[in-house]
Amino acid sequence: MSKKKKKKRAQLPFRINMLFFVVFLLFSVLILQLGVVQILNGEDFQQEIERTNLDTTKIPVPRGKIYDRNGDVIVDNEALYSITYTPPKGVQAEDRLELAETLAEYIKMDDEKTLKGITERNRKEYWYLLNKEEADERLSAEEKEDMSNAEVYQATLERITEDEIQDFSKQELEVIAIKKELDKAYSLTPQIVKNENVTAEEYARIAENLDKLPGINATTDWNRKYPYGSSLTSLLGSITTQEQGIPAEEEANYLSKGYSRNDRVGRSGLEQQYEDLLRGRKEQIQYTTTKNGTLIGSETIVEGERGKDLVLTIDMEFQEEVDKIVQKELQTAITKYPHTNRYLEDALAVVIDPQTGDLLAVSGIHYDRKNGEYEDAAFKTLSDAHEPGSVVKGATVLAGLQSGVITPGQSFYDSPIKIAATPALRSWSTGLGTVNDITALQKSSNVYMGYIALKMMGENRYPYPENAPPSLNDNWRQGFQEMRNYYRQFGLGSSTGIDFPHESTGLEGNIVTPGQLMYNAIGQFDTYTTMQLAQYTATIANDGYRVRPHFLKEVHDPIASQDELGPLYSSVNTEVLNRIQMSDDNIQRVQDGFRQVFQTPNGTAYSNFGNSPYNPAGKTGTAETAVYRDGQKLADTRNLALIGYAPFDEPEIAFAILTPFTGTENNHNIPQQIGKQILETYFDLKEERDRASDEDSEQEETEEEEQE
């Protein structure tokens, strides 16, 4: 029994040892195999891993559309046939030349513009590829020794003579033109070869022969289309061409946002302001390529979506009518008084909803004297600042009332103020008599504003002694700054906050004498834009609330339908920038003065607005100016201005109109003629739409009753 037990105990260690030995052999084989894989074949396997690469390219999509407040398309996309080239990696110049020669059999690139765009370098590069050996021999080994490859290539091109590149045939020039476009392409990024005047036949031929044209595709492209012609185009802005691509000075910024160098982007106006919304989401395609660049597969990983659609506050039907009015009155003044208005070139008008800041119409018409043509220049309402004249007197009166230098109803006799060594300040008429804060606005008294200015500088004598020097302390300039601070509360001299890339805030005159504040108080020193004047007018109409003027009303997601707006993405709410730091009573006094300007017999605008059924209010303005050239005075001129709003009790629209450099003998008051017609057009259009809406409602009710 004991012998058997001993025998079993002896067999057990033997079996365990055998098991350990087998495991040892297996691990040895595994380690040997890992060594073979890693040490002997590691490089081969690494090359296999690197044999394919994944690259992602982004395909541009059409930009979003732009609509007016009524849903009418202002900026659209027009589809075009397009031939594009998407090169794989590692394409050489010889490959592109061969492709260009093949592509020339299917498309024409012989229009005058294209052929003129072929440069001397394009010709030399083409000749070089055809005569590479001969060209390379023109540089000796010694010359090449200290040169980089780029320097060698440049020097070689310079050795090609003009005679050698002069006698290309028309067919060869087409090949050069095509190769020029192919050379612009980046790896795996589509480049337009031709998208202008691509015929249906060319498009079909390319589509049928894609197997012979590596990287070429027949697709569709788009161009911006403007259904309303030139109206508002200077504010809508423009986009770059693919050749221009993204602006070089902002390249890093655009590339960080996923743009390609040849992408078209907004370069001015609202196209630039809302680039991030209009650009859309690019389609992203992932390409699988071999190590040598051969494309072996592709997959769409992100579906493209065109840009979001913008709805503007602009009413294009009203805008077109305002443009016609502005151009007609400008043209009348120039035609009727050609000599006296020889420096008159612009008429500017802004119409705004004072309650919301919605810009209903923004018009600028410029007369190109060289070509004898009238053209859209609405951007000048934001970029050009001028002395506006007496339209600023509402702000001056409020500055006087709020600063306490005058009291409500305080009167001054309108007699010229003559400060020593300063031109006399007088009103446009000698018969204005005694005026108070309200009637000074009604009759447009310069003298009343002059006394406000003097008092704000610390000069309180009344009547002012003729030719006496002002009795001021060293801090009189503070009065200047105080008045400007009051003006800025209305947006005069400060940014309006408008959603536009560039806006002038006007220029402040250089203070030299106390008398200059008197002229600033009547709008003949600092300069303002028409947009600033419109915001100022809206602020008074809106009981002292300054709202931000804006073009954008809504943003909508795009949908497949070409004629409908998609779901609402966002909307712009009314933004109050500030409340004028003045009492309601004081603002009401200025409002009453503005009403009397338009509606009472002594008002300076009564002749044009006295019988208006729209209950308007506002202020006229004239600034004495001059035209200079090379430091020489050519002529005395005037800036004519008009601001207004209606109805007086519940204002729906406010407007500002400015015509700079009008002749002094001009008898055609352009701003008043424009303002009168703007009011008539606005309320006539409103009545017409209300009537149409009522008729539609009645028709719907009738149809519902018939169905019941």
Side-chain angles (χ1 to χ4, degrees):
M1 187 76 174
S2 60
K3 287 183 179 181
K4 286 183 180 181
K5 286 182 180 180
K6 287 179 182 179
K7 194 173 184 179
K8 284 182 181 179
R9 287 194 190 104
Q11 289 176 350
L12 186 59
F14 176 76
R15 290 176 181 176
I16 291 175
N17 289 336
M18 285 296 295
L19 179 62
F20 284 149
F21 180 71
V22 171
V23 172
F24 170 75
L25 287 177
L26 290 175
F27 270 105
S28 297
V29 172
L30 179 60
I31 291 170
L32 180 64
Q33 186 63 29
L34 287 174
V36 171
V37 170
Q38 187 167 351
I39 299 171
L40 297 180
N41 299 326
E43 186 175 346
D44 292 338
F45 283 117
Q46 184 65 33
Q47 289 177 353
E48 182 67 27
I49 292 171
E50 294 174 349
R51 195 165 294 165
T52 60
N53 295 313
L54 295 178
D55 294 284
T56 301
T57 189
K58 298 176 180 180
I59 311 298
V61 294
R63 290 173 76 80
K65 299 180 182 182
I66 302 178
Y67 294 79
D68 83 336
R69 67 187 299 116
N70 299 314
D72 295 323
V73 179
I74 304 175
V75 183
D76 205 346
N77 295 316
E78 181 179 29
L80 303 169
Y81 285 136
S82 180
I83 309 303
T84 64
Y85 174 52
T86 307
K89 289 184 174 180
V91 173
Q92 302 301 311
E94 293 83 359
D95 301 324
R96 292 193 293 272
L97 174 59
E98 182 180 348
L99 178 59
E101 290 172 338
T102 306
L103 189 55
E105 300 174 10
Y106 301 105
I107 63 173
K108 291 288 184 184
M109 294 281 278
D110 58 356
D111 61 281
E112 185 178 351
K113 178 182 175 183
T114 300
L115 296 182
K116 276 188 174 181
I118 297 175
T119 65
E120 180 183 277
R121 185 180 179 88
N122 298 146
R123 291 169 178 262
K124 286 186 175 183
E125 288 178 339
Y126 177 69
W127 189 93
Y128 173 79
L129 290 173
L130 296 180
N131 304 274
K132 195 171 186 298
E133 288 187 12
E134 178 186 344
D136 287 340
E137 290 175 356
R138 295 183 180 182
L139 250 66
S140 66
E142 291 79 9
E143 290 176 303
K144 297 177 183 178
E145 188 173 351
D146 296 326
M147 291 184 180
S148 66
N149 290 336
E151 290 171 336
V152 169
Y153 181 64
Q154 179 62 34
T156 303
L157 292 183
E158 290 173 357
R159 299 289 173 92
I160 300 172
T161 67
E162 290 188 11
D163 290 340
E164 289 171 323
I165 61 174
Q166 290 302 316
D167 297 326
F168 292 129
S169 67
K170 187 176 181 181
Q171 184 176 359
E172 287 178 309
L173 290 174
E174 285 192 71
V175 172
I176 295 173
I178 293 173
K179 182 181 177 297
K180 176 184 176 183
E181 299 304 319
L182 300 182
D183 288 342
K184 296 176 184 177
Y186 297 94
S187 296
L188 304 177
T189 301
Q191 167 70 33
I192 294 173
V193 179
K194 182 179 180 181
N195 69 346
E196 293 183 7
N197 304 316
V198 177
T199 66
E201 184 180 357
E202 286 177 323
Y203 185 86
R205 283 203 301 262
I206 294 293
E208 292 169 1
N209 293 278
L210 292 178
D211 57 325
K212 302 175 185 176
L213 301 164
I216 297 296
N217 192 20
T219 182
T220 57
D221 192 23
W222 51 271
N223 269 344
R224 282 309 221 185
K225 179 181 177 182
Y226 303 92
Y228 287 90
S230 63
S231 184
L232 210 66
T233 52
S234 67
L235 289 174
L236 293 170
S238 60
I239 60 174
T240 61
T241 64
Q242 188 179 59
E243 189 172 73
Q244 293 167 333
I246 59 178
E249 63 274 13
E250 298 182 59
E251 182 177 288
N253 178 43
Y254 278 105
L255 292 178
S256 69
K257 294 179 179 180
Y259 285 83
S260 300
R261 287 180 174 82
N262 59 358
D263 279 347
R264 287 173 284 182
V265 300
R267 65 177 177 180
S268 64
L270 296 176
E271 292 275 16
Q272 179 184 352
Q273 178 74 22
Y274 291 110
E275 169 66 25
D276 289 345
L277 292 170
L278 291 167
R279 63 178 288 201
R281 183 182 67 224
K282 288 184 176 183
E283 180 177 309
Q284 295 187 33
I285 299 177
Q286 190 176 75
Y287 292 99
T288 305
T289 60
T290 61
K291 189 177 180 182
N292 62 12
T294 303
L295 183 66
I296 60 176
S298 64
E299 177 187 3
T300 299
I301 57 176
V302 175
E303 293 291 339
E305 181 180 78
R306 72 173 175 85
K308 298 187 185 301
D309 296 327
L310 308 185
V311 177
L312 304 186
T313 60
I314 295 292
D315 183 332
M316 280 308 292
E317 186 177 4
F318 181 51
Q319 172 75 40
E320 283 195 306
E321 292 302 315
V322 172
D323 283 341
K324 291 176 184 176
I325 293 166
V326 172
Q327 179 171 328
K328 181 186 71 172
E329 297 305 326
L330 176 63
Q331 189 169 352
T332 298
I334 291 174
T335 304
K336 197 171 181 180
Y337 305 99
H339 179 70
T340 191
N341 286 328
R342 61 192 181 279
Y343 298 108
L344 171 63
E345 295 181 347
D346 298 315
L348 311 172
V350 174
V351 186
I352 187 173
D353 182 335
Q355 309 290 333
T356 64
D358 287 5
L359 290 164
L360 305 177
V362 180
S363 180
I365 302 297
H366 172 73
Y367 179 54
D368 181 350
R369 291 185 176 275
K370 182 178 180 180
N371 298 313
E373 297 177 350
Y374 291 88
E375 57 192 18
D376 170 66
F379 72 94
K380 289 191 173 188
T381 61
L382 286 154
S383 66
D384 289 15
H386 301 279
E387 297 170 17
S390 298
V391 293
V392 304
K393 288 177 178 176
T396 301
V397 169
L398 281 171
L401 290 169
Q402 201 62 24
S403 65
V405 300
I406 62 169
T407 57
Q410 184 172 351
S411 299
F412 299 114
Y413 185 77
D414 191 287
S415 179
I417 301 174
K418 180 65 176 74
I419 298 177
T422 302
L425 179 71
R426 62 184 78 246
S427 296
W428 64 278
S429 171
T430 58
L432 299 186
T434 300
V435 292
N436 61 22
D437 51 341
I438 293 177
T439 57
L441 293 172
Q442 175 200 30
K443 300 177 182 181
S444 199
S445 170
N446 290 342
V447 172
Y448 196 94
M449 309 304 149
Y451 276 115
I452 292 176
L454 288 172
K455 287 177 174 292
M456 291 188 74
M457 290 187 291
E459 171 58 77
N460 291 301
R461 285 179 288 178
Y462 170 77
Y464 188 84
E466 186 172 353
N467 283 321
S471 176
L472 304 173
N473 58 36
D474 294 337
N475 296 324
W476 64 268
R477 283 183 171 82
Q478 291 182 359
F480 227 117
Q481 191 58 48
E482 186 178 4
M483 181 173 285
R484 280 175 171 164
N485 290 341
Y486 280 116
Y487 277 27
R488 288 194 184 100
Q489 293 184 52
F490 294 97
L492 297 175
S494 62
S495 171
T496 64
I498 193 170
D499 51 339
F500 200 77
H502 307 289
E503 175 193 16
S504 169
T505 56
L507 294 174
E508 292 185 349
N510 183 31
I511 306 170
V512 178
T513 67
Q516 288 170 326
L517 182 55
M518 294 197 300
Y519 283 93
N520 196 51
I522 62 172
Q524 295 196 180
F525 193 61
D526 292 347
T527 66
Y528 312 112
T529 67
T530 314
M531 188 63 69
Q532 287 176 317
L533 294 174
Q535 186 182 53
Y536 152 65
T537 309
T539 303
I540 291 176
N542 198 29
D543 297 330
Y545 290 93
R546 183 168 78 104
V547 297
R548 182 177 69 85
H550 56 99
F551 287 106
L552 185 63
K553 188 176 182 65
E554 295 173 347
V555 181
H556 289 256
D557 286 320
I559 56 174
S561 172
Q562 296 298 309
D563 303 316
E564 297 179 20
L565 283 166
L568 181 66
Y569 174 78
S570 65
S571 61
V572 177
N573 297 320
T574 299
E575 182 180 351
V576 177
L577 299 178
N578 60 273
R579 171 73 159 90
I580 301 302
Q581 297 174 9
M582 300 174 187
S583 70
D584 291 342
D585 289 342
N586 288 343
I587 292 174
Q588 288 170 8
R589 293 188 70 81
V590 171
Q591 291 172 337
D592 191 35
F594 276 18
R595 181 188 61 79
Q596 292 193 31
V597 170
F598 274 49
Q599 297 189 36
T600 61
N602 289 325
T604 54
Y606 179 76
S607 60
N608 282 301
F609 296 91
N611 297 318
S612 172
Y614 313 120
N615 194 15
K619 185 73 187 74
T620 58
T622 303
E624 303 297 332
T625 56
V627 175
Y628 289 86
R629 187 169 298 161
D630 299 326
Q632 297 295 317
K633 183 178 178 180
L634 299 182
D636 288 315
T637 57
R638 291 174 179 170
N639 295 343
L640 298 181
L642 179 74
I643 62 173
Y645 57 92
F648 176 74
D649 298 325
E650 293 291 336
E652 296 179 23
I653 66 166
F655 61 82
I657 304 160
L658 185 62
T659 55
F661 306 117
T662 305
T664 56
E665 298 175 6
N666 173 75
N667 291 318
H668 184 74
N669 195 306
I670 309 171
Q672 291 201 38
Q673 293 299 321
I674 292 173
K676 180 179 179 181
Q677 293 173 74
I678 282 177
L679 285 179
E680 291 172 350
T681 301
Y682 173 82
F683 286 105
D684 286 350
L685 189 58
K686 179 186 177 184
E687 183 179 349
E688 180 184 325
R689 288 172 174 171
D690 288 344
R691 186 166 55 249
S693 178
D694 291 342
E695 290 174 357
D696 289 342
S697 297
E698 290 176 4
Q699 172 118 13
E700 289 177 4
E701 290 176 5
T702 302
E703 290 175 355
E704 289 176 1
E705 290 174 0
E706 289 177 353
Q707 289 176 358
E708 291 175 359

